[in-house]
Amino acid sequence: MSILGTRVLRTEDPGFLTTGAVYTEDVQDERLAGACHVHFVRSTVAHARINGIDVSAARDADGVVAVYTGTDLAAAGLEPLPPMMPNMNQAMVMPLLATDVVRFVGEPVAAVVTEEPYQGEDAIELVDVDYEPLPAVVDPVAAKEGQTGLLFPAAGTNVVVKFGDEAALDAALFEGCEVVVSKTIVNQRVAPAPMESRAAAAVWGEDGRLIAWIPNQGAQGTKAAIAGMLGLEPDRVRVITPDVGGAFGAKFGADPEQAVVCWIAGQLKRPARWTETRNENLLAMTHGRAQQQTVTIGGSKDGTITAYRLEILQDSGAYPKAGAFLPMLTRLMAPGPYAIPRAEAATISVVTNTTPVGAYRGAGRPEAAAAIDRAVDLFAAEAGVDPAEVRRKNLLPKFTEPHQTAFGAVYDSGDYVAALDAALEAADYEGLRAEQRKRRESGDTLQLGIGLSSYVEITGPGGEAGGPNENSTVEVHPDGTATILTGTSPHGQGHSTVWAMLASEELGIPIEKITVKWGDTDLVPRGGGTGGSRSLQLGGAAVRQASRELLDVARERAAATLEASAADLVYDIDASAFTVKGDPDANVPLAKLAEAERLFVHTVFTAPGPTFPFGTHVAVVEVDTETGKVFLRRMVTVDDAGTVINPLLAEGQRHGGIAQGAAQAFLEEIVYDTDGNPLTATFADYPFLSATEVPSFELVDSQTPTSYNPLGAKGIGEAGTIGATPAVQNAVIDAVSHLGVRHIDMPTSPQRVWRAISESRDA
Ligand code: MCN
């Protein structure tokens, strides 16, 4: 019986639950013995000129080994970094430590090195930075127009990059539409807030090579980032990935602090370590989302959509990182699963005096789904047609051959109407509407809201020549165990379990005898890491391919051993041995074939393109019309990620994703005041979602295999986040729509909901 598709328990968990994980802060390694500890002095103002930094008192403080500023880095030849893409404004450079100007609260300004970790907390207080405040640019609209000044005068603008030409938007796009609605909505800034904050441990070897332990999503990318920031030949850097306590998109590559820790270890010729506090994490780890979207949607009164426009203003924060680029993905996915004859999108990314924005679970695609699904509901309300009906009318019909959208995305396969119908049926949509009518008629203060989102997203993207790809090595050892090396980098997704399942399926070796390794760049020099929900469809497919190729190699060896023709051999998977057809006594175990010579295969799997998972989410909320408080009561979801290899893990990914997506809709938000002071830099202020705010989710099974990889699998890691946000937001608005409310920005906090109800009553 196949092990694939079964609910194999996570092999990672016994360790996590007993001895515990080994995060970067916990790494015990003799090479790190006697390490000093790095602490960062961070800017307390959003925008200021630095007139001087006095480090003398800090230098004299107890236990202080050294203090470094940007001037020291510049003297060592470390140049500020240009933005990641050549089409971004190259004058918007980021120093590792601020030199002449600070551009956000939390920006590292100096590094204090101490003998003991606790000494650093006191010593950083002694660094005296002379700030001369400059006007803070916090509102992205003001930033775009250059009203409050420029973050980088040499750039001549606050605009980093544009995707799609706003000047080319068609003035006649909505001509002939009976119904047109336009609305500017906010896809607010949120914090990735992984349980493990950022950290680094670094040491330079006698051979002049750097070894850096850094929590990351792909050691190879982290190595390239560290080498780039320090101006080193990549060969001189080795990155090792300890256990990673969540990343959610924000631990790709490396951050300036991590490069500085590596540099300090070199300067002092002594290992150095750093772990940030939660407050630092909320201040200075990249944030996510942060888009202002103007949606315009038009069509006929019967609910047919004919035109859609999406205009995006992306707040990239103080330095252009991945966040500045993500609107490209939002634009690519703008029409979502709908067949809209005329659609266009244009995006502008700007810098502001706030924390830089990066990838956050879904990275660009949840923003697209939120925009179109909010627009569809606005349109449905205006046309007076049920939102489920509008969706059914406008979803692309089922397709099995690739479908190219006006924005150039090539959807591999999909059956969006089936997903909608399955979700509506599982939720008892008609019954919910009846219950809603009853409550409205009785004037109940607890009103029911039903929200929908039909989404399609892109997973496993990649611009590699030949197509998105990933490598794997599978080796069988003489003792009957096996080792898998993978270029992916799990940090909660359970690759050890599933990669072992995939190899076991081919080789017959039990999963408990298979070890999966990743994240050490000396061991696995190449790899794309884990992000964009790419791992199973590329990395998992590579494991299967390597296992099959290994059997080919082994078959030749077995033929020689058994003095038979390779074609006459059968592989007995239950015994993990080759036997000669018709002569079961003539056999040789796979493990034996590894005795004389190592038995391993390294391979690269290449896909024809990314895949496009899809689904429908139905959210049911209760809204207290007197207080504005929202209670999430049900989440019924169809998330079709093709063939599911381990339902337990895939469902776990959906659970986590749905919770995060829902949290954005009704709870979480990073807030700044008008001077750029962060108001949500602790978990007392940032309302991090916990299990008490969400119900048990009702997951409907749906599997439409893709032909893009032999597993038939698409990605599931981000799907929950993509569907849940618009479904929950739409549900909250639906709950109070009979009171005249048409829109409430996220998060739908009690205050916002209450205000929307009051304003509409007054009107
Ligand atoms: N899976 C499956 N069948 C499928 C698809 C996936 O059984 N058809 C399984 C895979 O084997 C894997 C898991 O589900 O164990 C997720 O696989 P995949 O969809 O390939 O996604 P990735 O492993 O590439 O994970 C990336 C994705 C991203 S981009 C973010 S962000 C994210 C997420 O995963 N961050 C997470 N999930 C997270 N989960 C945890 N606990 N922590 C994070 O930081």
Side-chain angles (χ1 to χ4, degrees):
M1 200 192 91
S2 174
I3 195 177
L4 304 187
T6 66
R7 306 174 77 84
V8 174
L9 293 182
R10 283 169 39 114
T11 54
E12 294 89 341
D13 287 346
F16 283 148
L17 296 172
T18 54
T19 51
V22 179
Y23 299 113
T24 297
E25 191 181 15
D26 310 319
V27 169
Q28 301 280 343
D29 188 295
E30 60 183 16
R31 288 166 292 192
L32 291 171
C36 54
H37 299 269
V38 181
H39 290 256
F40 289 94
V41 176
R42 295 182 181 277
S43 174
T44 51
V45 279
H47 199 193
R49 191 163 288 116
I50 299 178
N51 284 334
I53 306 177
D54 182 356
V55 301
S56 53
R59 248 181 207 141
D60 293 343
D62 266 2
V64 171
V65 179
V67 183
Y68 297 104
T69 66
T71 312
D72 299 310
L73 298 181
L78 296 187
E79 300 284 340
L81 305 155
M84 57 190 271
M85 292 172 76
N87 59 350
M88 293 179 176
N89 192 314
Q90 295 295 302
M92 297 177 174
V93 296
M94 179 183 68
L96 300 181
L97 294 175
T99 46
D100 49 339
V101 174
V102 285
R103 295 186 177 85
F104 68 98
V105 172
E107 178 168 3
V109 176
V112 176
V113 189
T114 57
E115 293 290 348
E116 302 295 336
Y118 71 89
Q119 293 161 329
E121 286 293 334
D122 294 334
I124 55 174
E125 297 293 327
L126 301 173
V127 174
D128 188 9
V129 187
D130 180 4
Y131 295 113
E132 179 188 331
L134 294 166
V137 185
V138 182
D139 175 8
V141 177
K144 183 179 96 178
E145 283 149 20
Q147 287 167 356
T148 24
L150 299 179
L151 266 75
F152 301 88
T157 171
N158 287 321
V159 174
V160 183
V161 64
K162 298 180 183 184
F163 300 103
D165 185 0
E166 90 257 40
L169 293 178
D170 180 3
L173 196 73
F174 297 94
E175 244 167 43
C177 291
E178 292 170 337
V179 180
V180 179
V181 202
S182 188
K183 184 93 200 151
T184 295
I185 62 182
V186 175
N187 201 289
Q188 84 276 22
R189 180 187 277 257
V190 290
M195 271 201 279
E196 181 206 19
S197 57
R198 295 176 303 164
V203 65
W204 290 76
E206 300 274 323
D207 56 359
R209 285 185 84 216
L210 166 71
I211 307 177
W213 289 259
I214 292 176
N216 66 74
Q217 295 179 231
Q220 300 76 15
T222 298
K223 166 178 155 165
I226 293 287
M229 284 190 267
L230 298 184
L232 296 169
E233 284 300 317
D235 284 353
R236 289 185 62 201
V237 180
R238 174 181 183 187
V239 169
I240 300 177
T241 312
D243 286 325
V244 177
F248 307 112
K251 288 181 181 167
F252 249 118
D255 287 341
E257 289 93 334
Q258 287 153 337
V260 171
V261 172
C262 294
W263 179 80
I264 286 173
Q267 288 297 297
L268 296 175
K269 298 189 172 35
R270 179 177 170 180
R273 305 186 79 136
W274 165 68
T275 306
E276 69 180 350
T277 62
R278 179 58 58 187
N279 173 239
E280 286 181 285
N281 180 264
L282 285 164
L283 283 180
M285 179 184 235
T286 51
H287 293 154
R289 311 283 190 259
Q291 284 188 1
Q292 184 180 296
Q293 309 172 323
T294 302
V295 293
T296 311
I297 188 164
S300 48
K301 283 187 190 146
D302 69 353
T304 308
I305 302 168
T306 50
Y308 175 62
R309 175 184 295 152
L310 173 61
E311 291 159 277
I312 294 172
L313 182 57
Q314 171 74 54
D315 179 355
S316 317
Y319 297 99
K321 296 193 172 181
F325 150 82
L326 290 176
M328 196 180 105
L329 280 179
T330 313
R331 184 172 178 274
L332 181 73
M333 297 310 296
Y338 302 102
I340 306 176
R342 303 195 300 266
E344 55 185 23
T347 83
I348 300 178
S349 301
V350 295
V351 283
T352 61
N353 290 116
T354 58
T355 300
V357 174
Y360 173 59
R361 204 168 191 168
R365 296 103 78 201
E367 295 88 324
I372 185 75
D373 262 324
R374 191 75 274 284
V376 167
D377 265 31
L378 285 166
F379 175 78
E382 197 64 28
V385 182
D386 182 280
E389 200 39 49
V390 172
R391 284 180 173 78
R392 187 171 295 111
K393 234 183 183 40
N394 293 285
L395 285 171
L396 279 164
K398 176 178 176 164
F399 57 97
T400 46
E401 291 301 314
H403 165 86
Q404 176 146 13
T405 73
F407 294 89
V410 183
Y411 298 173
D412 58 314
S413 60
D415 191 351
Y416 307 147
V417 180
L420 173 70
D421 287 340
L424 293 178
E425 196 193 322
D428 182 19
Y429 187 67
E430 292 309 323
L432 287 168
R433 285 289 174 209
E435 166 71 16
Q436 182 183 54
R437 274 193 299 275
K438 218 159 68 189
R439 294 214 202 170
R440 286 181 177 179
E441 278 156 20
S442 73
D444 200 325
T445 52
L446 215 50
Q447 285 294 324
L448 197 73
I450 306 132
L452 302 180
S453 160
S454 288
Y455 71 89
V456 59
E457 61 135 339
I458 174 171
T459 62
E464 302 95 326
N469 62 61
E470 190 50 271
N471 75 88
S472 174
T473 303
V474 173
E475 174 161 13
V476 171
H477 307 289
D479 64 358
T481 62
T483 304
I484 298 172
L485 305 183
T486 177
T488 68
S489 194
H491 43 280
Q493 293 87 352
H495 298 177
S496 286
T497 308
V498 177
W499 282 205
M501 286 168 71
L502 291 165
S504 178
E505 175 76 5
E506 302 301 324
L507 306 176
I509 298 173
I511 55 168
E512 53 280 8
K513 290 193 169 177
I514 302 175
T515 307
V516 182
K517 294 186 177 175
W518 66 90
D520 178 339
T521 54
D522 275 7
L523 199 61
V524 187
R526 277 173 297 282
T530 287
S533 300
R534 67 189 292 279
S535 299
L536 179 62
Q537 60 192 291
L538 300 173
V543 171
R544 173 179 144 131
Q545 183 169 303
S547 305
R548 291 203 164 177
E549 289 174 6
L550 181 135
L551 280 187
D552 293 341
V553 174
R555 182 182 299 274
E556 292 302 326
R557 284 192 201 174
T561 310
L562 296 171
E563 294 177 351
S565 138
D568 287 340
L569 298 183
V570 282
Y571 187 64
D572 176 354
I573 193 151
D574 295 324
S576 286
F578 284 97
T579 51
V580 179
K581 258 183 224 158
D583 181 8
D585 289 341
N587 65 66
V588 57
L590 186 64
K592 187 136 187 72
L593 300 170
E595 275 173 7
E597 191 188 344
R598 279 180 69 185
L599 179 57
F600 72 96
V601 162
H602 173 78
T603 196
V604 176
F605 170 76
T606 304
T611 60
F612 291 80
F614 60 91
T616 291
H617 286 201
V618 181
V620 182
V621 302
E622 284 183 322
V623 174
D624 185 327
T625 53
E626 312 225 301
T627 63
K629 173 113 177 109
V630 172
F631 304 91
L632 180 57
R633 294 304 185 206
R634 291 177 67 197
M635 282 300 297
V636 183
T637 83
V638 172
D639 298 292
D640 192 319
T643 308
V644 171
I645 302 301
N646 184 329
L648 191 72
L649 285 160
E651 286 166 19
Q653 287 295 309
R654 289 166 74 185
H655 273 260
I658 294 166
Q660 268 179 316
Q664 182 183 7
F666 77 103
L667 209 61
E668 295 187 16
E669 179 175 31
I670 288 279
V671 185
Y672 291 90
D673 72 9
T674 49
D675 294 325
N677 295 305
L679 305 179
T680 44
T682 72
F683 276 163
D685 309 302
Y686 187 78
F688 190 59
L689 184 88
S690 74
T692 56
E693 283 95 15
V694 285
S696 281
F697 304 133
E698 301 162 54
L699 308 182
V700 182
D701 187 37
S702 172
Q703 302 187 30
T704 309
T706 178
S707 61
Y708 280 21
N709 62 72
L711 307 174
K714 307 185 187 188
I716 195 71
E718 294 155 293
T721 343
I722 292 165
T725 306
V728 173
Q729 185 187 20
N730 282 341
V732 174
I733 297 162
D734 180 66
V736 292
S737 62
H738 63 299
L739 304 174
V741 176
R742 282 285 174 273
H743 179 76
I744 305 171
D745 266 327
M746 300 187 293
T748 55
S749 60
Q751 191 189 27
R752 282 213 180 98
V753 175
W754 182 84
R755 190 169 282 157
I757 296 171
S758 310
E759 280 169 6
S760 118
R761 273 190 182 138
D762 292 349

